[in-house]
């Protein structure tokens, strides 16, 4: 797909409006996203940021852009040091552990690896050089081995977040310090303290403040001026505001053309956060839900909107995705007897007009939503559901068709499958596993949530069959209803009874 022919509109936090993406270098995009502070397992709020910008990354590639995607790890920070001290281990050992755990979670969620994943501890030289430039420009000052940024020297400070300088306060991670010229001044470098990791600098041993790392690493891997900077909405102030001030002070030709921020995941309408102890870790959720179901849930609202977490919403996402994969599995099985026939035809048969129309609408609706600021809300409904319904309706008709008509329908179904798979792929909902393998994994997660094993299901099915033979329909219905409450639907197909996941009738949206 040619990017120039597709106008992607993105909401720019700086201008507070949607703008057509015009890259600095035609055909290329520089993208920097703030990553995690690695001191614990990541929660689904972190997952939402990762999935939101993975969708952006995938869609930019889909449009034909060459993307240089940088996502950092903060592996030197007060929280890391405090947690490491609690556990009696080295801070860098702790942060390394949780950087690796994060990558495991990202792999499960089908998030593509960024082009670069820099860590603070590996870029001290770049950070120190940038601080030196800031001091040279008289925008930073040294106090007893600490270095602070002077916000009074930044005339546009507060433009991104809308925070006026007289209303700003010290950053969340920075205690008010009487040595500051302005209470809003923030640390660029912190003098070493006993039993803390430190690095040599012109101001004595110490470590970076929180904000300088992203300015230094984005400038190193992209340039001081690049296309898109992303992160969670909570980073607008002070983190991103301070980034802008630092980079502008250190580099003459600097700036970000598009600032993007994803909305929070909330729980009971309150932001999910480790500090509030109301969070659900990614690992906790993927222990009992398929990672693709979690990813689908995280895309169920437009990325800028808040997303309220509930088990029922996750169940809905899981059920919807199971239906998609079951339909594609049924299609794969339905096409199998005709593969040789299609091969002999050599591509001569044409799609039906109805199929062409379905594919056109599916692709058109998908692109229209994605081009409008990556609107993934209800992305697998509408035309996508129409395509799945067409597949289900057509499979049962194949045997009754004449050869020419059947070939045309077979070609149509193959092309609809390609279009459906392309949408899943761009959304990161397609894996290297077969449809059957994904369905098997999703059923296993259902059993975990239901606290049942396959043998338990088999036994209950046998009990139900026996009850029906004995005309004990009350017991038969009771078994079915008990399983439905646990998210397991029994289906009688001919003389056989099979099961599949369903939305549990006991699910409570407040859970």
């Amino acid at each position: 797909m040619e990017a120039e022919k597709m106008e992607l509109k993105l909401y720019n936090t700086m201008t507070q409006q949607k703008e057509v993406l015009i890259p600095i270098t035609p055909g290329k995009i520089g993208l920097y996203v703030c990553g995690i502070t690695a001191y614990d397992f990541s929660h689904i709020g972190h997952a939402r940021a990762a999935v939101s910008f993975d969708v952006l990354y995938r869609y930019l590639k889909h449009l034909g852009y060459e993307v240089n995607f940088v996502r950092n790890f903060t592996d030197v920070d007060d929280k890391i040091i405090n947690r490491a001290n609690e556990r009696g281990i080295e801070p860098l050992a702790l942060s390394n552990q949780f950087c690796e755990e994060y990558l495991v979670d990202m792999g499960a969620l089908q998030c593509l690896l960024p082009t670069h994943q820099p860590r603070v501890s590996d870029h001290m030289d770049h950070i120190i050089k940038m601080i030196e430039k800031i001091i040279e420009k008289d925008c930073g000052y040294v106090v007893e081995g600490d270095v602070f940024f002077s916000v009074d020297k930044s005339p546009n400070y507060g433009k991104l977040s809308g925070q006026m300088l007289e209303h700003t306060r010290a950053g969340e991670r920075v205690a008010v310090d009487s040595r500051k010229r302005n209470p809003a001044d923030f640390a660029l470098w912190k003098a070493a303290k006993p039993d803390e990791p430190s690095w040599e600098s012109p101001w004595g041993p110490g470590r970076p403040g929180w904000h300088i790392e992203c300015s230094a690493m984005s400038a190193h891997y992209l340039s001081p001026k690049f296309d898109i900077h992303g992160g969670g909405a909570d980073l607008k102030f002070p983190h991103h505001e301070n980034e802008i001030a630092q980079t502008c002070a250190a580099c003459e030709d600097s700036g970000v053309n598009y600032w993007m921020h994803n909305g929070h995941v909330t729980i009971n309408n309150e932001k999910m956060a480790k500090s509030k102890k109301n969070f659900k870790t990614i690992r906790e959720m993927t222990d009992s839900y398929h990672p693709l179901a979690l990813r689908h849930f995280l895309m169920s609202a437009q990325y800028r909107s808040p997303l309220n977490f509930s088990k029922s919403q996750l169940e809905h996402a899981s059920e919807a995705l199971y239906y998609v994969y079951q339909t594609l599995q049924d299609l794969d099985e339905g096409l199998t007897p005709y593969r040789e026939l299609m091969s002999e035809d050599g591509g001569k048969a044409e799609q039906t007009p109805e199929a062409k129309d379905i594919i056109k609408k599916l692709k058109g609706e998908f692109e229209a939503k994605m081009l409008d600021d990556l609107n993934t809300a209800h992305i697998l409904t509408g035309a996508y559901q129409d395509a799945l319904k067409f597949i289900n309706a057509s499979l049962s008709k194949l045997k009754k068709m004449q050869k020419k008509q059947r070939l045309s329908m077979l070609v149509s179904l193959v092309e609809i499958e390609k279009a459906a798979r392309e949408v899943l792929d761009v959304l990161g909902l397609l894996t290297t596993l077969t449809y059957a393998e994904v369905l098997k994994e999703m059923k296993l997660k259902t059993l975990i949530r239901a606290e049942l094993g396959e043998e338990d299901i088999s036994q209950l099915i046998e009990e139900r069959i026996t009850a029906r033979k004995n005309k004990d329909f009350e017991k038969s219905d009771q078994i079915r209803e008990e399983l439905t409450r646990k998210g397991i639907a029994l289906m009688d197909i001919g003389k056989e009874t099979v099961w599949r996941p369903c939305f549990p009738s006991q699910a409570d949206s407040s859970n």
Side-chain angles (χ1 to χ4, degrees):
M1 188 164 296
E2 295 180 25
E4 290 77 10
K5 295 180 181 179
M6 307 288 280
E7 283 198 345
L8 172 59
K9 290 184 178 180
L10 298 174
Y11 185 86
N12 189 348
T13 308
M14 182 65 81
T15 60
Q16 299 183 42
Q17 63 184 8
K18 293 178 186 177
E19 299 177 357
V20 174
L21 176 63
I22 302 173
I24 295 168
T25 303
K28 296 184 178 182
I29 295 290
L31 168 64
Y32 187 94
V33 175
C34 292
I36 61 160
T37 300
Y39 70 99
D40 202 345
F41 286 101
S42 296
H43 58 65
I44 58 175
H46 299 129
R48 191 184 190 199
V51 168
S52 296
F53 290 104
D54 181 66
V55 169
L56 172 63
Y57 183 33
R58 286 172 176 272
Y59 194 62
L60 289 171
K61 289 160 73 76
H62 169 71
L63 292 179
Y65 287 108
E66 180 185 332
V67 187
N68 187 358
F69 176 21
V70 184
R71 185 183 64 212
N72 74 300
F73 281 113
T74 297
D75 63 345
V76 180
D77 182 83
D78 291 341
K79 291 181 179 180
I80 296 169
I81 293 167
N82 294 338
R83 182 62 57 84
N85 289 339
E86 289 171 10
R87 296 192 179 183
I89 61 175
E90 289 296 318
L92 287 177
L94 178 82
S95 58
N96 182 66
Q97 174 195 343
F98 287 112
C99 286
E100 296 305 317
E101 295 289 5
Y102 178 79
L103 293 177
V104 170
D105 289 335
M106 292 302 99
L109 288 171
Q110 289 286 111
C111 290
L112 298 174
L113 286 175
T115 317
H116 304 284
Q117 298 187 89
R119 301 188 187 192
V120 176
S121 60
D122 294 328
H123 292 80
M124 289 300 165
D125 288 346
H126 299 113
I127 290 169
I128 289 168
K129 286 177 182 176
M130 179 166 275
I131 295 173
E132 286 180 315
K133 288 181 181 177
I134 292 170
I135 294 172
E136 287 171 12
K137 299 286 182 68
D138 196 31
C139 292
Y141 56 95
V142 183
V143 182
E144 300 170 2
D146 291 323
V147 182
F148 295 103
F149 185 92
S150 178
V151 294
D152 292 318
K153 300 294 178 73
S154 182
N156 293 319
Y157 192 80
K159 187 176 179 182
L160 176 70
S161 62
Q163 297 260 18
M164 300 304 291
L165 187 55
E166 58 268 24
H167 298 146
T168 58
R169 53 179 174 79
E172 289 180 10
R173 304 187 187 191
V174 184
V176 175
D177 190 327
S178 60
R179 300 173 301 161
K180 294 179 181 180
R181 296 173 183 173
N182 183 317
D185 290 352
F186 55 90
L188 297 171
W189 188 261
K190 297 180 177 183
K193 295 179 182 177
D195 301 320
E196 287 190 357
S198 63
W199 287 260
E200 289 299 324
S201 79
W203 320 285
R207 57 186 174 88
W210 174 32
H211 314 291
I212 190 67
E213 62 187 70
C214 289
S215 289
M217 291 190 285
S218 62
H220 175 68
Y221 286 97
L222 299 172
S223 78
K225 188 176 181 65
F226 58 94
D227 298 291
I228 304 170
H229 195 315
D234 56 323
L235 297 180
K236 283 187 279 188
F237 184 86
H239 186 53
H240 289 163
E241 202 69 75
N242 292 351
E243 269 192 68
I244 294 170
Q246 293 165 159
T247 308
C248 288
C251 311
E252 291 181 5
D253 185 20
S254 65
V256 172
N257 285 355
Y258 305 87
W259 284 92
M260 295 177 66
H261 295 92
N262 65 276
H264 298 136
V265 174
T266 59
I267 187 162
N268 296 325
N269 297 312
E270 185 178 42
K271 180 196 167 189
M272 187 178 289
K274 289 177 181 174
S275 59
K276 296 179 180 178
K277 297 182 180 179
N278 65 346
F279 64 93
K280 302 281 186 181
T281 67
I282 300 169
R283 200 68 55 88
E284 179 187 353
M285 290 295 95
T286 54
D287 280 344
S288 53
Y289 288 89
H290 198 284
L292 289 182
L294 177 56
R295 183 181 176 101
H296 187 210
F297 162 71
L298 293 168
M299 293 189 297
S300 62
Q302 205 273 351
Y303 75 92
R304 286 187 288 116
S305 303
L307 178 64
N308 196 48
F309 171 82
S310 71
K311 290 284 183 68
S312 67
Q313 291 293 90
L314 202 43
E315 290 284 358
H316 278 302
S318 183
E319 184 183 32
L321 201 60
Y322 190 92
Y323 172 67
V324 171
Y325 268 87
Q326 185 63 65
T327 301
L328 294 176
Q329 169 62 13
D330 292 343
L331 175 59
D332 188 53
E333 291 177 355
L335 293 178
T336 297
Y338 304 104
R339 299 286 184 192
E340 188 175 337
L341 178 64
M342 286 188 283
S343 180
E344 290 172 358
D345 179 64
K348 296 175 186 175
E350 293 187 0
Q351 300 171 49
T352 67
E354 185 181 3
K356 287 181 179 178
D357 187 52
I358 284 170
I359 292 169
K360 183 179 178 181
K361 286 180 179 177
L362 188 157
K363 290 184 174 181
E365 187 176 286
F366 173 70
E367 298 295 352
K369 287 183 176 182
M370 294 298 285
L371 289 169
D372 184 18
D373 196 28
L374 309 176
N375 187 8
T376 56
H378 312 297
I379 197 80
L380 296 182
T381 60
Y384 199 92
Q385 287 296 310
D386 291 340
L388 298 181
K389 289 175 184 175
F390 180 84
I391 290 170
N392 286 321
S394 302
L395 285 173
S396 59
K397 300 175 184 176
L398 282 174
K399 289 183 180 179
K400 301 175 185 177
M401 293 179 175
Q402 297 296 320
K403 182 179 178 181
K404 185 176 179 181
Q405 186 185 17
R406 182 186 295 137
L407 277 169
S408 181
M409 181 57 71
L410 290 169
V411 170
S412 298
L413 289 170
V414 167
E415 291 305 312
I416 288 175
E417 181 189 18
K418 285 180 184 176
R421 283 178 62 88
E422 182 180 19
V423 169
L424 292 178
D425 190 34
V426 176
L427 294 175
L429 293 172
L430 191 67
T431 79
T432 56
L433 299 178
T434 64
Y435 304 138
E437 288 169 335
V438 173
L439 290 169
K440 185 178 179 180
E441 288 182 345
M442 294 186 81
K443 289 181 78 171
L444 178 60
K445 298 293 185 183
T446 300
L447 291 175
I448 290 171
R449 296 196 298 278
E451 298 182 339
L452 294 170
E454 283 279 9
E455 61 281 359
D456 298 317
I457 303 293
S458 298
Q459 183 179 335
L460 288 166
I461 287 174
E462 286 302 317
E463 289 178 13
R464 181 171 172 271
I465 291 170
T466 302
R468 294 178 76 189
K469 283 180 180 177
N470 296 334
K471 300 189 183 301
D472 188 352
F473 298 115
E474 185 178 346
K475 183 176 181 181
S476 169
D477 291 345
Q478 184 183 9
I479 291 170
R480 181 195 286 270
E481 288 166 8
E482 283 179 2
L483 288 173
T484 302
R485 279 197 295 272
K486 294 185 176 183
I488 293 168
L490 296 183
M491 303 171 71
D492 299 315
I493 302 174
K495 295 181 179 180
E496 185 183 10
T497 300
V498 297
W499 74 274
R500 58 151 287 173
C502 68
F503 184 80
S505 57
Q506 68 180 7
D508 181 357
S509 62
S510 67
N511 183 4

